[in-house]
Amino acid sequence: LSRHKQQDDALRDMERMYGSIFENAIEGIYQSTADGRILRANPALARILGYGSASELMAAGVNLAERAYVHPEQRAELLRLLERDGYYADQEFQIFRRDGTTIWVSDNSRAARDADGKVQYYEGTLQDVTPRKQAEEALAQSEEKYRTLVDMSQDGVFLGEQGKIVYANRAFAAMLGYSPDEMSGFEFTELLVPEERDSAELFSEAHTPEAGHELHELHFRHRDGKARLTAAVTVARISYRGKPAVTGTVRDVTAQKQSEQDLLRSAYHDALTDLPNRAFFMEKLQQLLERTGHRSSDRFAVLFLDLDRFKLINDSLGHSFGDRVLVAIARRLRACLRPADLIARYGGDEFTILVENASALDDATAVADRVHEELARAITVDGHDVFTNASIGIVISAPHYKHPDEILRDADTAMYRAKAAGKAGYVVFDDAMHESAKANLKLETELRLALQRSEFRVFYQPVMEIGAGKLSGFEALVRWEHPAQGLIGPEHFLAVAEETGLIIPIGWWVLETACTQFASWKKRHKHIGDDVTMSVNIANRQFAHWVLPQRVARVLDITGLKPKHLCLEITETVFMDNPDLAVETIARLKSVGVSLQMDDFGTGYSSLSALRRFKIDTLKIDRSFITGIERTRADRAIVRTITVLAADLGMDVVAEGIENTRQVELLRALGCRKGQGFFFSKPMSTADADKYLAALAPPKS
């Protein structure tokens, strides 16, 4: 009896324990009939289904099968599991609560059978998993939203594991000619161009930083095997499904890079000749200066080329033709150089050459010689044979050069020396040229200040009728009253004024001053003959200025001087520079009514052709012939020829530089009617010229 009692007690304890678990479990526990009607339920199940107690749930006659919101196919599957295995586990579905709302539950159920295997009832547990399902749904929606954004992105996006593509969005796949599904499984090394396959380690989880801020430029292969894609790539290390992985973005910058290359080429190349341009040359020269530094062993040379009289080609055959000539010249210049040398179009018809590793001056002069040989041959363009050559300035590198501008400045100076020496040659820069250039720069600065400070003066030299000793006119001559150096003659500053263009404002001032003064003299000194004139020199730059005729007419109008009293002196070179323009300008000046005198006649190269074509009133014989007229028969013959030629053409003749009586006698014998020089009078200031005119007045009766 005692043992049976112990067993009964143990059984009751067990029942109490299981009863406690049944009543206090957080999961719903149930027993139900085969068709789902609840036979027994714990409080947790009542709460899950929305009832206040298990008894209330039981009294309501709740049927779990009817409450379950399960797809018919899922319901049939659950019944098959129970029939076959006797249980099912962790089956999730929705179920209606008492108030009609649905919740997600996880169901574990088994079939209780009798000895014959017939199902007596079902028993199981029901757990409310709604919060988890809601979280999963929210996560799924977020992932779907993110995936949609990634798929719609214009930038490529990828996910990779162990060096292989796991996911690629449509943009990345399309860049390389694939579909997203085809990209899956590709190794990154397969996608990169062969020469960059070592860069595939960027996509390795071991080498990729966690933060993908670094931007890498990589080149991918297109599916067709021909195209090459330049891409800006960022890669970052992440955890994907619990494993290390990489993700990143790919942006196609092929067009951008091509545009950058095009812009770079445009910025550094000349569009006409396809040579490097000035900017490229200067940058290369700067790099070379920085690299060589003070090492005298690393010498180089710079050649500055200016095509001689190229303006004539443009003016006669047109700028379009001139451009084609420049292209042909560029090809020839390239042929003169070694592979390591650099040639650039500096601007207009100027070119620069950089000769590296110039161990001696001969290396640079050899290039200059080859240039002259190439350009000496005719250049055939559109059926025309044209000839041109180049004046070349050469600079050899030296430690004192710190900036490209300094080298180009000196090369330009040497080039102008070559041009002045007769063109088609070369000059090597030396220190004396530098000092001369500095002196000219200083002189230019002082000339500009002289204009501002009104330091220029006009002196007047009489022109006389040789036979009668009568005043024929004056020549206006400019002088500079320097505040420190005193009175300076034109031979010391006119060349720089001409070169810098200052001759134009100086020339206008002289013209207006001389006309104003002569008009004043004509009013005050009534005895001045009506045939007396004022001669004013017109510089080449002034003559080439289209406004010259209008400017002359305006000065005459302002001063009240009659046109017949003004004579403009021009040199033969104005006809050489642009003959057609000279014809037009002279015709316009003649229409104003002024007379024209050719200065320095006999020293130019186109005298006779100019006389035949242009309407010149007077020839002025250069002083170099007058100086030798006493000693040499040749000079006397030249003077005789000029006077006879002028007489036959209906022109007047003026001899300049007369210094003694013998010259006067010879000139009179040779038929020269007019002259000027120290024999008659030195150039006079305004005050002295005024006294001179006053002294010519006849005595009062």
Side-chain angles (χ1 to χ4, degrees):
L1 288 174
S2 176
R3 189 177 66 181
H4 287 297
K5 186 178 184 303
Q6 288 177 348
Q7 288 177 345
D8 290 341
D9 289 343
L11 183 58
R12 281 193 294 271
D13 288 342
M14 227 174 177
E15 287 176 349
R16 281 195 298 271
M17 181 184 68
Y18 283 121
S20 176
I21 292 173
F22 182 80
E23 292 295 328
N24 297 309
I26 61 173
E27 293 180 337
I29 302 173
Y30 64 87
Q31 286 181 344
S32 71
T33 63
D35 60 359
R37 182 170 55 84
I38 295 177
L39 299 173
R40 190 181 179 196
N42 71 341
L45 183 65
R47 289 194 301 273
I48 290 172
L49 297 179
Y51 290 89
S53 64
S55 58
E56 187 180 5
L57 174 63
M58 298 295 294
V62 173
N63 187 311
L64 286 177
E66 293 176 355
R67 289 290 183 97
Y69 184 66
V70 182
H71 193 277
E73 291 182 3
Q74 186 180 5
R75 185 188 300 277
E77 177 64 23
L78 293 177
L79 292 174
R80 280 195 298 271
L81 289 172
L82 287 171
E83 182 66 27
R84 187 188 69 194
D85 301 329
Y87 73 93
Y88 60 78
D90 299 326
Q91 293 296 317
E92 295 180 354
F93 50 83
Q94 286 181 296
I95 193 168
F96 288 103
R97 298 180 82 233
R98 180 183 185 180
D99 59 5
T101 59
T102 58
I103 60 173
W104 279 94
V105 295
S106 177
D107 185 25
N108 296 275
S109 185
R110 64 178 288 274
R113 302 175 187 273
D114 59 16
D116 296 328
K118 184 179 179 181
V119 175
Q120 291 182 306
Y121 57 86
Y122 295 120
E123 62 182 5
T125 61
L126 206 66
Q127 183 181 0
D128 185 356
V129 294
T130 303
R132 177 173 63 78
K133 294 295 287 186
Q134 290 174 337
E136 288 177 353
E137 184 178 357
L139 180 60
Q141 290 177 351
S142 176
E143 288 180 349
E144 182 63 25
K145 182 179 180 181
Y146 173 73
R147 187 183 185 92
T148 300
L149 290 173
V150 169
D151 279 341
M152 293 176 63
S153 172
Q154 293 183 351
D155 285 344
V157 180
F158 63 85
L159 179 69
E161 287 181 334
Q162 298 180 343
K164 292 184 178 181
I165 297 283
V166 173
Y167 163 78
N169 73 340
R170 284 180 292 181
F172 186 27
M175 286 179 197
L176 304 182
Y178 298 97
S179 68
D181 291 340
E182 289 175 319
M183 292 282 287
S184 181
F186 268 119
E187 292 189 4
F188 285 104
T189 52
E190 296 179 73
L191 301 175
L192 295 171
V193 295
E195 60 268 29
E196 288 189 8
R197 285 178 178 171
D198 290 344
S199 300
E201 67 177 18
L202 291 171
F203 303 96
S204 168
E205 297 88 333
H207 293 86
T208 302
E210 290 187 11
H213 299 305
E214 293 183 4
L215 193 65
H216 306 277
E217 185 176 299
L218 299 175
H219 296 87
F220 292 91
R221 289 190 312 152
H222 194 271
R223 183 176 192 166
D224 61 14
K226 299 177 183 178
R228 179 185 177 105
L229 176 78
T230 304
V233 181
T234 59
V235 187
R237 187 168 71 249
I238 63 170
S239 177
Y240 176 66
R241 294 178 179 174
K243 296 179 181 180
V246 294
T247 187
T249 61
V250 181
R251 175 168 291 182
D252 184 355
V253 295
T254 307
Q256 175 185 332
K257 287 295 177 180
Q258 185 60 50
S259 296
E260 290 175 1
Q261 290 296 321
D262 292 344
L263 286 172
L264 189 64
R265 181 171 182 80
S266 175
Y268 285 111
H269 271 75
D270 176 56
L272 177 65
T273 63
D274 199 37
L275 292 177
N277 62 9
R278 175 178 180 172
F280 184 90
F281 187 87
M282 297 296 274
E283 188 168 308
K284 179 70 174 178
L285 189 54
Q286 179 65 50
Q287 292 171 0
L288 192 58
L289 283 170
E290 293 171 357
R291 189 170 75 242
T292 57
H294 294 283
R295 298 196 303 271
S296 58
S297 58
D298 297 334
R299 302 182 72 190
F300 60 88
V302 171
L303 282 68
F304 195 104
L305 287 70
D306 183 89
L307 299 179
D308 295 330
R309 302 185 68 185
F310 187 78
K311 185 175 182 295
L312 287 178
I313 296 176
N314 279 335
D315 291 344
S316 58
L317 297 173
H319 286 271
S320 179
F321 182 88
D323 286 346
R324 292 193 289 279
V325 173
L326 284 174
V327 172
I329 289 173
R331 285 197 297 266
R332 290 202 182 179
L333 292 178
R334 274 199 189 103
C336 300
L337 308 182
R338 304 170 304 178
D341 298 335
L342 171 67
I343 181 169
R345 186 185 180 198
Y346 196 73
D349 60 351
E350 296 175 334
F351 298 85
T352 49
I353 297 175
L354 178 59
V355 181
E356 293 194 52
N357 302 317
S359 57
L361 176 61
D362 291 346
D363 293 330
T365 58
V367 173
D369 288 335
R370 289 198 295 272
V371 168
H372 285 139
E373 289 174 9
E374 280 292 329
L375 297 184
R377 296 185 292 110
I379 299 171
T380 303
V381 176
D382 297 343
H384 293 273
D385 285 344
V386 293
F387 291 87
T388 186
N389 219 306
S391 297
I392 305 175
I394 302 175
V395 171
I396 304 299
S397 63
H400 67 270
Y401 287 121
K402 306 298 182 187
H403 195 275
D405 284 340
E406 299 171 355
I407 297 178
L408 269 298
R409 174 201 64 201
D410 292 347
D412 185 60
T413 298
M415 181 275 293
Y416 273 106
R417 284 291 182 93
K419 198 171 283 289
K423 304 178 181 180
Y426 64 79
V427 169
V428 180
F429 183 83
D430 59 26
D431 291 339
M433 290 184 203
H434 183 61
E435 293 304 317
S436 175
K438 287 199 300 184
N440 285 345
L441 179 61
K442 180 183 178 183
L443 181 57
E444 177 187 349
T445 302
E446 291 183 332
L447 284 173
R448 293 185 186 279
L449 292 174
L451 272 170
Q452 296 175 14
R453 297 168 180 170
S454 301
E455 293 174 358
F456 291 106
R457 304 287 181 266
V458 177
F459 275 56
Y460 302 92
Q461 186 172 35
V463 178
M464 308 297 293
E465 291 186 10
I466 293 176
K470 177 184 173 184
L471 178 67
S472 175
F474 285 101
E475 180 181 3
L477 301 168
V478 67
R479 299 290 186 267
W480 178 11
E481 194 170 343
H482 194 283
Q485 302 177 34
L487 205 62
I488 298 176
E491 67 276 9
H492 298 294
F493 63 84
L494 279 189
V496 173
E498 180 84 37
E499 181 181 339
T500 59
L502 289 172
I503 193 66
I504 293 179
I506 293 174
W508 295 144
W509 177 82
V510 171
L511 175 66
E512 188 170 343
T513 301
C515 289
T516 300
Q517 186 59 60
F518 195 59
S520 174
W521 283 338
K522 291 285 288 181
K523 291 178 181 178
R524 190 163 64 255
H525 302 290
K526 302 296 185 181
H527 58 277
I528 298 177
D530 198 45
D531 57 345
V532 177
T533 61
M534 174 64 72
S535 295
V536 179
N537 291 280
I538 299 298
N540 289 7
R541 284 204 177 194
Q542 275 182 287
F543 188 83
H545 207 296
W546 65 271
V547 79
L548 175 64
Q550 292 96 312
R551 191 71 180 253
V552 171
R554 176 175 169 76
V555 168
L556 292 173
D557 184 57
I558 292 174
T559 60
L561 188 66
K562 294 179 180 179
K564 68 177 183 178
H565 292 142
L566 177 62
C567 177
L568 301 180
E569 294 194 22
I570 56 179
T571 63
E572 292 173 283
T573 53
V574 301
F575 310 117
M576 298 167 58
D577 291 341
N578 193 330
D580 293 335
L581 177 64
V583 169
E584 180 184 350
T585 302
I586 287 176
R588 292 167 64 198
L589 288 171
K590 296 296 288 184
S591 68
V592 173
V594 298
S595 60
L596 295 173
Q597 179 170 280
M598 184 179 288
D599 198 8
D600 302 329
F601 184 75
T603 61
Y605 303 96
S606 60
S607 305
L608 297 180
S609 62
L611 291 179
R612 183 179 62 188
R613 187 175 182 188
F614 305 111
K615 297 179 179 179
I616 303 298
D617 299 291
T618 304
L619 300 180
K620 179 177 276 190
I621 306 174
D622 187 71
R623 68 177 63 248
S624 61
F625 301 120
I626 306 305
T627 301
I629 196 174
E630 299 173 82
R631 300 186 302 274
T632 66
R633 295 177 60 186
D635 285 341
R636 288 195 295 274
I638 290 173
V639 172
R640 181 185 297 109
T641 300
I642 294 174
T643 55
V644 171
L645 178 64
D648 289 344
L649 294 175
M651 297 180 183
D652 227 341
V653 176
V654 175
E656 64 177 348
I658 302 172
E659 296 183 351
N660 56 56
T661 304
R662 179 59 179 160
Q663 291 173 347
V664 172
E665 292 172 351
L666 288 171
L667 287 169
R668 186 187 299 120
L670 293 171
C672 181
R673 294 180 52 247
K674 297 178 182 179
Q676 67 184 97
F678 285 3
F679 176 77
F680 300 109
S681 172
K682 292 182 178 181
M684 297 177 285
S685 66
T686 302
D688 289 341
D690 190 64
K691 293 177 183 177
Y692 175 84
L693 287 171
L696 295 178
K700 294 180 180 180
S701 56

